[in-house]
């Protein structure tokens, strides 16, 4: 990080949409963002430490895999930033400056990277109204909740807390998965159609079996 802060380097990655190679300047902040993005994927998360170790010894091939994924996600035309921030800023309460300062003081060597976040937060703009979520209420319908235990965004702790409001909910915790990997995985491809089509009786009778099949698949990724 310190080296890239002083001496940014040009890197070349494949643009998945155009099929062409693109060059972009890698500095310390962009490396941090790329590594954070890697934790959205259980496969990439396991490569972070080896990638940095190899890069420090002159071999950047594994790190380039992480940088390529980051580049293509950061410039994905399907991602609508306006919708993301409208949701993020309206749903969540704003931290006051005193609370932010206390958290910043505990951030150690990361402090320079977050020192202006409160001042320049887009969520402080007048167009947003923070904390608009209604009070929580129980929902008495079957709901399938799946959480990856490696998820740094919506954690398994969040999922368990949500179940307090879902008396007819079904929770699956995937031990070896990160963020939003369930949908396209083998488990999700089988479990989602079953859940949507199953009767209440079938859910009660077959849920444990279906859940355990997914967990066994997780143990043999």
């Amino acid at each position: 990080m310190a080296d890239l802060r002083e001496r940014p380097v040009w890197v070349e990655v494949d643009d998945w949409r155009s099929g062409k190679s693109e060059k972009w300047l890698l500095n310390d902040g962009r490396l941090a963002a790329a590594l954070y993005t890697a934790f959205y994927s259980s496969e990439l998360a396991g490569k972070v430490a080896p990638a940095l170790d190899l890069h420090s010894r002159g071999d950047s091939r594994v790190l380039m895999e992480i940088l390529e994924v980051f580049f293509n996600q950061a410039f994905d035309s399907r991602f609508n930033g306006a919708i993301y921030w409208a949701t993020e800023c309206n749903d969540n309460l704003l931290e006051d400056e005193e609370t932010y300062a206390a958290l910043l003081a505990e951030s150690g060597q990361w402090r320079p990277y977050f020192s202006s976040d409160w001042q320049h937060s887009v969520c402080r703009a007048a167009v947003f109204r923070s904390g608009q979520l209604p009070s929580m209420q129980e929902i008495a319908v079957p709901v399938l909740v799946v959480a990856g235990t490696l998820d740094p965004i919506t954690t398994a702790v969040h999922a368990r807390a949500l179940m307090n409001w879902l008396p007819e909910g079904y929770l699956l915790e995937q031990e070896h998965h990160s963020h939003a990997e369930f949908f396209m995985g083998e488990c999700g491809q089988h479990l989602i159609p079953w859940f949507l089509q199953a009767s209440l009786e079938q859910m009660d009778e077959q849920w444990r079996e279906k859940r355990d099949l997914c967990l066994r698949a997780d143990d043999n990724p």
Side-chain angles (χ1 to χ4, degrees), residues 149-191:
T149 58
L150 301 179
D151 189 345
I153 314 302
T154 47
T155 68
V157 173
H158 288 101
R160 292 184 210 118
L162 181 62
M163 300 309 291
N164 293 326
W165 303 95
L166 301 173
E168 296 185 30
Y170 296 83
L171 174 62
L172 171 65
E173 295 186 33
Q174 294 188 290
E175 183 176 353
H176 302 291
H177 289 262
S178 186
H179 184 75
E181 296 182 308
F182 170 68
F183 302 99
M184 298 306 297
E186 182 179 353
C187 175
Q189 294 293 301
H190 289 90
L191 193 59

Side-chain angles (χ1 to χ4, degrees), residues 25-194:
L25 194 64
L26 178 66
N27 58 22
D28 53 327
R30 289 177 176 178
L31 176 63
L35 297 180
Y36 181 78
T37 299
F39 285 101
Y40 279 74
S41 161
S42 53
E43 179 183 358
L44 288 180
K47 293 182 178 181
V48 168
L52 293 176
D53 177 53
L54 289 168
H55 175 72
S56 70
R57 293 187 274 128
D59 184 351
S60 298
R61 286 174 294 178
V62 180
L63 182 60
M64 290 303 300
E65 294 179 31
I66 294 174
L67 296 179
E68 184 170 296
V69 171
F70 168 69
F71 175 87
N72 282 279
Q73 289 187 356
F75 294 99
D76 189 345
S77 59
R78 297 169 299 178
F79 178 77
N80 189 313
I83 292 177
Y84 174 85
W85 285 113
T87 304
E88 184 79 5
C89 296
N90 285 313
D91 282 358
N92 297 288
L93 290 171
L94 282 173
E95 295 284 2
D96 59 72
E97 189 171 13
E98 184 178 351
T99 301
Y100 171 77
L103 292 170
L104 187 65
E106 299 174 1
S107 58
Q109 295 185 63
W110 290 105
R111 183 170 183 170
Y113 297 96
F114 301 109
S115 60
S116 61
D117 277 15
W118 190 87
Q119 178 184 357
H120 297 294
S121 172
V122 67
C123 293
R124 296 178 62 223
V127 295
F128 299 120
R129 300 291 183 271
S130 66
Q132 292 192 69
L133 286 178
S135 58
M136 294 291 285
Q137 298 181 26
E138 286 191 357
I139 300 177
V141 297
V143 178
L144 176 61
V145 179
V146 182
T149 58
L150 301 179
D151 189 345
I153 314 302
T154 47
T155 68
V157 173
H158 288 101
R160 292 184 210 118
L162 181 62
M163 300 309 291
N164 293 326
W165 303 95
L166 301 173
E168 296 185 30
Y170 296 83
L171 174 62
L172 171 65
E173 295 186 33
Q174 294 188 290
E175 183 176 353
H176 302 291
H177 289 262
S178 186
H179 184 75
E181 296 182 308
F182 170 68
F183 302 99
M184 298 306 297
E186 182 179 353
C187 175
Q189 294 293 301
H190 289 90
L191 193 59
I192 293 173
W194 170 81

